[in-house]
Amino acid sequence: MNQLLLSPWFKWMGGLTVLVLLMGATSSQSHVVSFTLADPMHQENSQFGFALAEVGDINQDGKPDYLVGARSQDVGGYEAQGQAFVFSGMDGSLLLTLNDPIPQAYADFGFAVAGPGDINGDGVGDLLVGAYAQRVAGNYAQGQVFVFSGQDGSLLQTLDTPNPQGYAYFGRAAAELGDVNGDGLADLLIGAPGQTVNNNEFQGQVLVFSGADGELLYTLNTPFAQGGAQFGAAVAGVGDVDQDNVPDILVGAPTLTVNTQTSQGRAFVFSGATGTLLYTLDDPLPHAYAWFGDSLSGLEDINRDGVPDLLVGAPIQEVDGRKNQGQVFAFSGADGQLLYTLNDPMPKAYAWFGYAVSGLGDTNGDGGPDILVGAFRQEVNGNFNQGQAFVFDGADGHLLMTVDDPAPQAEALFGHTVASAGDVNGDGLTDFLISALYKAVNGLTGQGQVFVFESVKAEAKEVQIDIQPGNDANVIYARQTQPIKVAILASQGFDAPTVVDNTSLTFGKTGDEHSLVWRHGSPSCRAQDVNADGKVDLVCAFSPLIAGFACGDTVGIIKGATLDGIPIIGQDFVTIKNCRLAAP
């Protein structure tokens, strides 16, 4: 049964040697399922996996643990009250069951979850659970948020909106913020997207609370006052973007009308120290009903300027005429400039690509952070609403891997929620969580499952390239102005012109992993049989200024990916001439 409601606060409610790293949908995958988390109560329509969070090492076994919300779970005779569970990152065993401290039907307890860190000083990370539809003092769906001890699951704090009213949806979004008040404890970020402000219904607010005692620190309002904006439908703590040594805040208002574009949406970055607006993020490809800002995440520094960066999803953005396909945008944390756009690698209408986004650590061993995006309504192999998820390289946004439901099923909504899992297997790579929200389990429709995936360093396969084809010495002149040509040679089973993603290619000198000079724009490529073997090769021309060769360099390297997201890397020797002319 498809219960999707078109309102984001009811959010559902996925030459020489070239090395081809076997990632994505290949026979040698770059990810494996470590274990599967299942609803301990085995209920139909529980929506187990609606919310996910990595919450640190709760049981002190050296592995990160996980908090999972089941927002529609029936509990103690209360229909759809909701529950949340803490699982071991070591083996997936159940550690804690969390229940609504004020039991009631249709509370949606578990709609939002977060790990706020250790806020009670006992050395164990604690747990935050939102119940956005909780009835409070007779106000239906006013919402509440509860903070529990990670050590034993006891209730530490109950958080309420300072502006009581029905349908405030307080707790529809929640996140750890980091320490903004200087007391050494992490503070809490809560969205109330249904809050009425100055008679503007559903304008929304965001509240910042002290983690130490639940005291309200300050309130954030949308800089563009407007009914129906749903400011606070998504919130994230994003690190210190203004370099004042205090973490900052990212807030989405996905149904804000922008320049007459209904529900285009906006996102805003606020100072964590003072709550003042730092800058506004707009949809780089303006479109009505894009829901830009419906999903958010902080990122580690992907452009290497020393400042953390930002990720914003627009899950129902129309792309090339495909309705509700969705897009995701990476922005500089320093100034809000667009770094790149992520598109669905398997373009389809109604995929909802970007409904869930998460910044990850390093999944592919290149030393840089990566990005996980869910497309929970993606059609896969004819299975409608099966869903998919994708991991992208944080450096330039190229596809690293496509992640599919391990047990394919139509209407599973795989990719509805995604999150970092930390390092599950101790190999130094970041692993990740993906929910299949409406997965039928043992015949129970809508029970849901969560999969813990391990990132796996891929093996390599040799193919051939040739720098400066037709020139056996591979000559590159110092201060050369003519493009440098590099041929990626076709071989049996590898049709380079039809397989390689030209836009992903980079070329430069070898050395330290990060010494490769990244491209500025895509190279010019054409198909040509350069070695007269009857197979058509791919010949690309690169700017010598971007390649960065200097006297004494002996090897050039090319990197990129196939259209299926399989990364490629290759090298060939070079000869640098006219070095005396280039000497200072």
Side-chain angles (χ1 to χ4, degrees):
M1 181 174 61
N2 188 346
Q3 297 179 358
L4 284 166
L5 301 178
L6 292 180
S7 173
W9 65 80
F10 278 100
K11 202 169 182 182
W12 241 100
M13 321 175 242
L16 304 175
T17 302
V18 165
L19 304 180
V20 178
L21 304 183
L22 298 177
M23 289 186 165
T26 67
S27 58
S28 178
Q29 296 183 355
S30 62
H31 57 277
V32 296
V33 178
S34 180
F35 47 82
T36 301
L37 305 178
D39 185 347
M41 304 303 171
H42 308 293
Q43 265 186 41
E44 192 169 47
N45 297 322
S46 67
Q47 295 183 37
F48 175 85
F50 188 90
L52 303 172
E54 187 264 302
V55 292
D57 184 11
I58 297 296
N59 60 349
Q60 307 291 284
D61 64 356
K63 296 291 184 183
D65 301 311
Y66 312 121
L67 178 58
V68 180
R71 54 87 66 116
S72 293
Q73 189 96 287
D74 296 343
V75 183
Y78 294 104
E79 188 173 354
Q81 177 176 299
Q83 274 184 318
F85 308 94
V86 181
F87 295 91
S88 165
M90 176 73 76
D91 57 13
S93 59
L94 180 66
L95 300 179
L96 294 170
T97 297
L98 303 177
N99 285 299
D100 190 332
I102 307 171
Q104 60 182 259
Y106 304 105
D108 280 279
F109 178 87
F111 189 95
V113 300
D118 178 19
I119 63 173
N120 64 348
D122 64 357
V124 178
D126 298 310
L127 313 165
L128 186 153
V129 181
Y132 88 106
Q134 185 95 358
R135 187 173 59 256
V136 182
N139 290 329
Y140 182 75
Q142 179 173 304
Q144 283 183 311
V145 174
F146 306 96
V147 183
F148 299 89
S149 164
Q151 188 165 90
D152 59 13
S154 60
L155 180 66
L156 298 178
Q157 299 174 18
T158 298
L159 303 179
D160 284 288
T161 175
N163 304 302
Q165 65 168 75
Y167 300 97
Y169 297 129
F170 177 84
R172 182 244 186 259
E176 176 197 352
L177 177 53
D179 181 16
V180 298
N181 62 349
D183 65 357
L185 298 175
D187 299 310
L188 310 174
L189 189 60
I190 310 297
Q195 191 84 38
T196 296
V197 182
N198 295 329
N199 296 318
N200 287 330
E201 293 184 352
F202 292 101
Q203 178 170 303
Q205 284 185 319
V206 173
L207 299 309
V208 178
F209 295 89
S210 164
D213 58 11
E215 175 191 0
L216 178 67
L217 299 179
Y218 52 81
T219 299
L220 301 177
N221 285 290
T222 173
F224 299 89
Q226 186 182 113
Q230 294 188 73
F231 175 84
V235 298
V238 294
D240 182 15
V241 301
D242 61 356
Q243 303 293 277
D244 64 354
N245 296 315
V246 178
D248 300 309
I249 298 167
L250 178 60
V251 179
T255 49
L256 187 75
T257 294
V258 182
N259 297 327
T260 74
Q261 300 272 34
T262 302
S263 293
Q264 178 176 304
R266 267 185 170 138
F268 307 93
V269 180
F270 295 90
S271 164
T274 65
T276 57
L277 180 68
L278 297 178
Y279 50 82
T280 297
L281 301 176
D282 275 306
D283 189 334
L285 302 168
H287 204 287
Y289 300 102
W291 286 6
F292 177 86
D294 190 51
S295 58
L296 306 169
S297 178
L299 287 172
E300 294 177 33
D301 179 17
I302 60 174
N303 61 348
R304 296 181 181 169
D305 64 355
V307 179
D309 298 309
L310 313 170
L311 200 59
V312 181
I316 58 171
Q317 179 106 342
E318 182 175 322
V319 182
D320 296 331
R322 290 182 290 271
K323 292 182 180 299
N324 296 7
Q325 178 173 306
Q327 285 182 311
V328 175
F329 306 94
F331 295 93
S332 164
D335 57 12
Q337 294 298 305
L338 179 68
L339 298 178
Y340 50 76
T341 299
L342 300 177
N343 283 295
D344 190 335
M346 316 268 183
K348 287 186 177 72
Y350 304 102
W352 292 52
F353 174 86
Y355 184 83
V357 299
S358 179
L360 299 177
D362 180 15
T363 66
N364 63 343
D366 68 354
D370 299 314
I371 295 167
L372 178 60
V373 178
F376 78 118
R377 296 195 67 183
Q378 185 98 345
E379 181 183 340
V380 183
N381 295 327
N383 285 337
F384 187 66
N385 285 343
Q386 177 174 307
Q388 276 183 317
F390 308 93
V391 180
F392 297 90
D393 189 281
D396 61 2
H398 76 263
L399 181 67
L400 293 177
M401 61 182 102
T402 297
V403 187
D404 282 301
D405 189 331
Q409 187 182 106
E411 306 294 341
L413 306 185
F414 177 85
H416 173 274
T417 314
V418 301
S420 171
D423 184 4
V424 173
N425 56 359
D427 64 355
L429 299 180
T430 300
D431 306 308
F432 47 93
L433 306 168
I434 302 177
S435 75
L437 180 67
Y438 214 62
K439 185 95 166 185
V441 182
N442 295 325
L444 298 174
T445 302
Q447 180 173 307
Q449 282 182 319
V450 174
F451 301 96
V452 182
F453 290 94
E454 296 179 12
S455 300
V456 179
K457 288 183 179 178
E459 298 177 357
K461 161 186 170 178
E462 293 187 2
V463 292
Q464 292 183 314
I465 69 167
D466 188 8
I467 295 175
Q468 301 289 46
N471 180 336
D472 291 339
N474 299 343
V475 172
I476 296 173
Y477 292 93
R479 295 187 176 179
Q480 179 171 324
T481 58
Q482 295 299 312
I484 301 171
K485 294 182 179 179
V486 182
I488 301 175
L489 304 180
S491 62
Q492 185 67 36
F494 185 76
D495 184 17
T498 62
V499 168
V500 174
D501 178 2
N502 300 354
T503 66
S504 72
L505 296 174
T506 66
F507 178 66
K509 61 184 181 180
T510 58
D512 177 78
E513 173 67 18
H514 303 302
S515 68
L516 180 64
V517 180
W518 296 98
R519 69 185 182 279
H520 295 268
S522 302
S524 172
C525 299
R526 61 188 175 88
Q528 179 186 354
D529 182 4
V530 299
N531 55 358
D533 65 352
K535 298 181 178 69
V536 180
D537 309 306
L538 181 67
V539 184
C540 297
F542 295 87
S543 163
L545 296 177
I546 293 173
F549 286 101
C551 297
D553 291 331
T554 59
V555 179
I557 187 169
I558 193 168
K559 289 185 177 183
T562 69
L563 293 171
D564 290 334
I566 305 172
I568 62 173
I569 183 172
Q571 63 181 15
D572 194 359
F573 72 90
V574 296
T575 302
I576 309 298
K577 289 193 173 183
N578 286 3
C579 281
R580 284 184 300 173
L581 296 177

